[in-house]
Amino acid sequence: PGPNPISALTLTSDNTTSTDIAADTITVQTLPAAVTATLAGGAGSDTFNILAISGAATINAGADGDTINVSSDAPVNGGTVDGIVGALTVNGDAGSDTLNVSDLGDVSGDSGTLSASSITGLGNAGAITYAVDVLNLDLGLGADTLLVTGTHAGTTTVDGNGGSDTFNIQATGGTTTINAGAGNDTFNISSDAPANTGTLDGIVGALTVNGGGHDAATRSVHAGGRMVDNSPFISQPSQAAAALLPTKAPPYDVFSFMEFQDPVITAAPVGTTSTVPVGDTLNLVDRGDASDNDYQVTSAQLARGGGPAVSYTGIELTNLVAGTGDDQVKIVLPEAAGPVLPAVITVDGTSGSDNVSITGSSGSDAIEVGVLTTDPSVRSPVEVTNIDCLKITGDRKTTLQNSITAVA
């Protein structure tokens, strides 16, 4: 009879007396399906390169700061994770350990899931289960979809790279950064994303989303700053257009209003538009929250009072859906030297008694408010629906506050 096949393999980088504290490298090019492997790092800052496995493998990195690379060309990390067929378990153990998982070489669109302890669906038939301090995940160059059900307590960075990717973010547990990369990407943030009927309660760890580059597609946005009559303010029809005029010396803050979708209002004023990229979209949905909340939108983040905050850069369209309580939404116009707001910001108050306020900067501001629309051809810088009161405040003009009724 022939020799018995190997069914289990244990490989330890240190010697049996544990006096070897050098930094070791273990590379796994393949692992047969019938073999279960345990790789132990021991002392020293060790490196594990996992290119492909068909059998189950467990890495116990041991003491000190270790690095685990998972990709078909590790440690270059420009390949794919298609070779991870067997289950891979990564235990960082002591020290600050980093797990790099790269599907960068995949040009097809994958649909994967990132949880606080595992990665599945990115072409890897075997789940990658992890317990480390730092996780770096590279998606491929296609149009990928990543469901984030949670992130671990450490640091997580996801790079979308090429393609128009979709990130459905339900929860975060630690500091999480998602860099969308090239393409017109979409971020859905809600506890049941992408259904987007949940809350923002799951955003516990700091979350930053960066839109990055975008495709050539463009849309028109009203330039703002046109003086119109007060027809949208149907609750106080006696207020004349003169009430909108500045009462202080120039430079002025100029605010205009258009197209509040009410049967009484039929005409939309005509004005100039600017052409902007369609770009990346950020949807923040708190629809399922029945509490009375305060939301603040600035050029750097959206925050819910006493709760989660989402920081962002490179976003062209931000859609905020408030909860069903009596909510306050404050939009702060940026200073001239700082980052700009997204080209279009929309606010849906859903139900409850909801107020939207727009606060000007210390300089001369121009803004236009319109009814929320999904018309891709032309948008307003701020669009609202299902709100009860709109308040405009600029330090170079008087405060204007009126109720808006029957807004669709």
Side-chain angles (χ1 to χ4, degrees):
N4 294 325
I6 295 175
S7 60
L9 172 67
T10 299
L11 178 61
T12 303
S13 64
D14 288 355
N15 57 22
T16 56
T17 59
S18 298
T19 58
D20 179 9
I21 60 173
D24 302 302
T25 299
I26 296 177
T27 297
V28 178
Q29 295 184 340
T30 185
L31 181 69
V35 178
T36 299
T38 301
L39 311 177
S45 297
D46 303 314
T47 299
F48 299 83
N49 299 315
I50 311 299
L51 283 68
I53 57 171
S54 295
T58 298
I59 297 174
N60 299 314
D64 301 309
D66 306 300
T67 301
I68 301 93
N69 300 305
V70 182
S71 190
S72 58
D73 65 348
V76 176
N77 294 346
T80 74
V81 294
D82 294 358
I84 307 302
V85 178
L88 174 62
T89 301
V90 178
N91 298 312
D93 297 332
S96 180
D97 303 296
T98 299
L99 171 61
N100 301 312
V101 178
S102 177
D103 199 40
L104 181 59
D106 194 338
V107 297
S108 63
D110 291 319
S111 294
T113 299
L114 170 64
S115 77
S117 59
S118 68
I119 301 167
T120 58
L122 295 176
N124 53 310
I128 301 172
T129 303
Y130 65 93
V132 295
D133 302 281
V134 178
L135 171 64
N136 298 314
L137 174 61
D138 272 298
L139 304 185
L141 300 177
D144 299 304
T145 299
L146 183 67
L147 173 63
V148 181
T149 61
T151 59
H152 67 119
T155 301
T156 299
T157 301
V158 177
D159 288 325
N161 299 303
S164 294
D165 303 312
T166 300
F167 301 92
N168 299 314
I169 307 166
Q170 299 180 349
T172 60
T175 301
T176 304
T177 301
I178 299 181
N179 304 309
N184 291 345
D185 306 295
T186 300
F187 301 90
N188 295 308
I189 303 178
S190 191
S191 57
D192 66 346
N196 291 352
T197 62
T199 73
L200 300 176
D201 293 351
I203 307 303
V204 176
L207 174 61
T208 300
V209 297
N210 300 311
H214 43 70
D215 294 343
T218 61
R219 64 162 58 98
S220 295
V221 176
H222 289 295
R226 291 177 288 110
M227 284 301 196
V228 298
D229 65 25
N230 70 320
S231 58
F233 300 96
I234 60 175
S235 63
Q236 297 187 27
S238 62
Q239 183 172 4
L244 297 175
L245 295 176
T247 59
K248 294 184 179 182
Y252 298 136
D253 289 333
V254 183
F255 301 98
S256 62
F257 312 87
M258 66 167 293
E259 294 184 80
F260 288 108
Q261 191 172 343
D262 186 278
V264 177
I265 303 158
T266 58
V270 177
T272 60
T273 60
S274 59
T275 300
V276 301
V278 171
D280 301 307
T281 299
L282 172 60
N283 299 313
L284 299 114
V285 182
D286 207 25
R287 188 188 300 272
D289 194 322
S291 304
D292 299 339
N293 289 310
D294 293 336
Y295 305 89
Q296 179 166 287
V297 182
T298 71
S299 57
Q301 70 170 220
L302 185 145
R304 192 183 74 185
V310 179
S311 300
Y312 54 81
T313 65
I315 299 297
E316 282 71 37
L317 170 62
T318 293
N319 300 310
L320 169 62
V321 180
T324 58
D326 297 338
D327 302 312
Q328 308 290 324
V329 180
K330 182 178 182 180
I331 300 172
V332 181
L333 302 186
E335 297 296 330
V340 298
L341 283 167
V344 179
I345 298 172
T346 77
V347 177
D348 184 349
T350 63
S351 58
S353 179
D354 302 307
N355 301 328
V356 172
S357 66
I358 301 175
T359 301
S361 70
S362 60
S364 179
D365 301 302
I367 194 68
E368 181 172 286
V369 181
V371 68
L372 190 152
T373 177
T374 57
D375 180 1
S377 61
V378 62
R379 305 293 297 265
S380 295
V382 176
E383 297 179 351
V384 297
T385 190
N386 296 320
I387 68 168
D388 300 278
C389 182
L390 175 66
K391 179 178 180 180
I392 309 292
T393 305
D395 70 343
R396 298 182 183 276
K397 73 183 290 292
T398 56
T399 297
L400 173 67
Q401 184 169 353
N402 284 279
S403 294
I404 301 172
T405 60
V407 176

